[in-house]
Amino acid sequence: MRTIDTDVLVIGGGATGVGVLRDLALRGIRAALVEKGDLTHGTTGRYHGLLHSGGRYVVKDKQSASECAVENEILRRIMPHCLEDTGGFFVVTPADDEAYVPLFLKGCQETGVSVHEIAVREALRREPLLNPRISRAFEVRDGSADSFLATHSNAEDAVRHGAQVLTYHVVTGLERTGDRVTGAVCEDMRSGETVHIHTSYIVNAAGAWAGKIAELAGVKVTVVPGKGTMVAMNHRVLNTVVNRCKPPADGDIIVPIHTVAVIGTTDVHVPDPDVFGIEAWEVERMLSEGEQLVPGISKARVLRAWAGVRPLYKDQDVADDRDIPRTYKLLDHEARDGVKGMISMVGGKWTTYRMMAQEATDAVAAKLGIQAECRTHLEPLPIPAGAERKAGLYWLGKPLAAIEADSSYGHLICECELVTRERVVDAITSGKAANIDDIRRDTRLGMGPCQGGFCTYRAAALWHELKPATPPANDPPHGHAGNSVALLRHFLQERWKGLTVIAWGDQLRQARLDEIIYLDTLGLDLLPAPAPAEQNGAEMVTAHPAIATEYHAA
Amino acid sequence: MTHDHIELSLEQSLDHCIKCNICTAACPVSAVTDLFPGPKYVGPQGQRFRMPGQPSPDESVDYCSGCRVCNEVCPTGVRVMELNTRAKAAIVEQNGLPLRAWLLGYQYWFGKLACGPLAPLANFGASNPLLRTVVERTVKIGRKAPLPKFSTYSFRSWFKQRTKSQASKTAAVPDGSQSTAPGSRKQVVYFHGCSTNYYEPHVGQAAVEVLERNGFEVIVAKQGCCGLPLLSNGAFKQARSHHEYNVEQLLPYAQRGIPIIGTSTSCTLTIKEEASELLGMHETAVRMVAENTYDIFEFLRLLHDRGELNTDFKPVQRSMPYHAPCQLRAHNLGRPALDILELVPGLQLSESTAACCGLAGTYGYKAEKYQIAMDVGAGLFDFVRASGSDTAVCDSEICRWQIAHGSGLEVKHPIEILREAYG
């Protein structure tokens, strides 16, 4: 058993939690963060990557729109390396009602969302595959964001300023002394060790899981997990974020992010953020709605489908989950429930994470009687070592240009996403990655067209070579080799689950090749290691029920 | 932008790549140098990182020789070479056409200037080691690369002379007009290309004689360079005007169903598909000319299939090695020259299995690529030398020069052998 003392404990390693951690650290407040998986393992790592201009909310959710517009500019300043300035369009397709346009423009004006109309001809010149039958086009300051890199940059800065980050630590209980929360009991999922964290204050930033954390303190917080399914296309069909100019609905946006274009998204209430599947109709809806924006897109190659759960906070009755405001809410449990020592930050968007963190930290600082001002909007984030992206905004060709600059193309582990051996080795030896999926979040390994077909065995082999000296604590059957095989299987499983609902056409052909590589050539199912389902909360893989998501069909 | 199905299939071919690496395994260039990371890397893989309006992120695509082996072996039909060549064109568009690419792309101008009476002088210059070293230092054209010899007369001048002297016949004046006198004789248009005209008029002479042996009246239409040297150097804008000119000249014949026949596999491939695909030119006129264009042995084989080929061959008691050039293989015709030449009694041709001679158009002329080209061709040179023959056979002129350079053998166009068989 380990004991940690800190002033503030942040629960949740998504954008908000890590944002709060950085803010606390910059204000000189001693802080630690626990996350049950890897950083960004939850919703932050599963969203479509849109840096909102705010345009999407200008009619029905004005507060969110204003917040996005403000934060958009701040993020461009503090984390250019995580953002791509793709620009964004709102277009009126033949399926949309032009009557929405005046509402949209009025909303933009009221909320401070920058917008101007451009000629349809100009929009088509910039995006030749866009539906030529659009009647109007409006340009906004949308962009795309690398939420993995942003979160890691925040975490790195927080650690630099003295904060602690504990990943793979699941909160199993909160300790209460009378009406005050005084600490948390965690389990280190890799070693099975129990960790007690004594703290003066807890920030519940668990997103869709915030209700579950609050429950541990005996407080009721209703978070509605709103599942959003997204579909990634094989390459950048568009280079500009394109939205339908209409009230938000399923499949009305395409976001170019890194090498892919993501069509989003559905909004389906799920009872539990840990248990959900992706259904065929959702993929079909994305593609058929996508046709309105890019005719022919449904015939192009789909790379993968995945889902994330929105942490929607429901404090009053609304008819539809899509009507729940996207704005965030700070819950002071002392004022609200009479429970001291804890606040919950719920709702919100990735784009407003910093603002949420600022508000949460302001509240905590006030409780602790600390005067320090927020500086997160002023100080640029550091670029994590190993990320080849240099300063300045990201652009699509940047990773290829970097590989070309030092001719490191002979050292690619993941060919599709140009991940070099050096970066994978760094991820393994730094100790931050607990499995290959964690390396993926750092490097994009396995996120390209072949979905791990050619990189998984290479990454597993590197892991096997580099980690022989540190056998895992609860010695798995077949020792070190068994461990490496388990890692390999886990990552393949993680990649393949995103293919099951889109298994047709070119991607089915790809999946078949991958299957031949792993099952026929390598005989993976015959290798001596327990199958993931039989593993007893394996320390390196995410079969643990607390962090396993999407394993079960709804 | 409207897309027809050809253009669409090129774009979609990116989606068809399943990363199997078969193209990289088969690539003759990446097999001999680390400077070329392979067709998959610079092709479908690199393509996902290219974006219109942004800087070209990669320079290594320049090491693709454009031999099209990748296209041939791809099990899912990805048009790797086209992706690569378009990526090169994007670099040219961004940086401009370097002097060397300009010189290689417009090499027919040297033919125009040096072919004829000045040929001996020009050939002295072109073979002068000192001068070649200066050229290598200044414009980086390899000093050892096999430059062809300028001919003392051009094919066109020979043909004109011959037409004049055969005034009794009703041959058309080769002015490209539509005024060819209608007659009972079957007509064909001969596309000689720059090399035959300025360097190897004997190939064109053989072709004309073989066609005439088969009862055809040969028309030598007005024509320009097919534009391939420009295309492979990424100079798309310039290549387009060449292709447009040729289509304009050849269309009247195509419209009348007169076959257009070439002895240069690269020229015919360019007219058939390469120019239109790379440049996205899919107009009716372009297609009509393309559909009426044949490699000479493709045409002779068609004649044979219809029972119309004159097979009155004299025995040729020789055995020679034969190499089907990349450009011919890209026609997807099999080996028409072998099919026809095997009708010649006594003639034995053994086919090479080498992927490429290495020169690949203008590729091997570039100083930094000379050795790569030689290494790529090494297997082929060994094969032809091992045959013990003093002559090798190959359809493409550039490949002939490279094989001759690499092996020391004389290399002939198969049409020259066939003409020999007609006696």
Side-chain angles (χ1 to χ4, degrees), chain A residues 234 301 404 415 506 510, chain B residues 15-17 40-41 48 60:
Chain A
N234 183 41
R301 174 167 170 182
E404 289 278 315
E415 296 167 37
D506 285 314
Q510 180 75 63
Chain B
D15 275 356
H16 299 331
C17 176
K40 188 193 77 141
Y41 170 88
R48 295 177 73 241
S60 61

Side-chain angles (χ1 to χ4, degrees), chain A residues 450-484:
Chain A
C450 80
Q451 291 286 297
F454 287 85
C455 57
T456 309
Y457 60 81
R458 296 172 183 161
L462 278 178
W463 194 293
H464 188 81
E465 277 174 21
L466 294 166
K467 287 271 187 166
T470 54
N474 21 328
D475 200 24
H478 310 291
H480 180 52
N483 226 347
S484 304

Side-chain angles (χ1 to χ4, degrees), chain A residues 242-302:
Chain A
V242 180
N243 307 262
R244 297 262 293 272
C245 192
K246 66 167 194 167
D250 292 352
D252 60 354
I253 185 168
I254 303 181
V255 182
I257 166 100
H258 288 284
T259 48
V260 300
V262 176
I263 316 179
T265 154
T266 53
D267 195 346
V268 181
H269 170 78
V270 289
D272 186 322
D274 284 322
V275 183
F276 56 86
I278 298 167
E279 294 180 61
W281 72 264
E282 296 182 272
V283 174
E284 199 280 329
R285 176 84 52 87
M286 292 304 106
L287 293 175
S288 61
E289 290 297 316
E291 281 285 318
Q292 293 293 338
L293 292 171
V294 176
I297 198 167
S298 64
K299 305 282 187 297
R301 174 167 170 182
V302 181

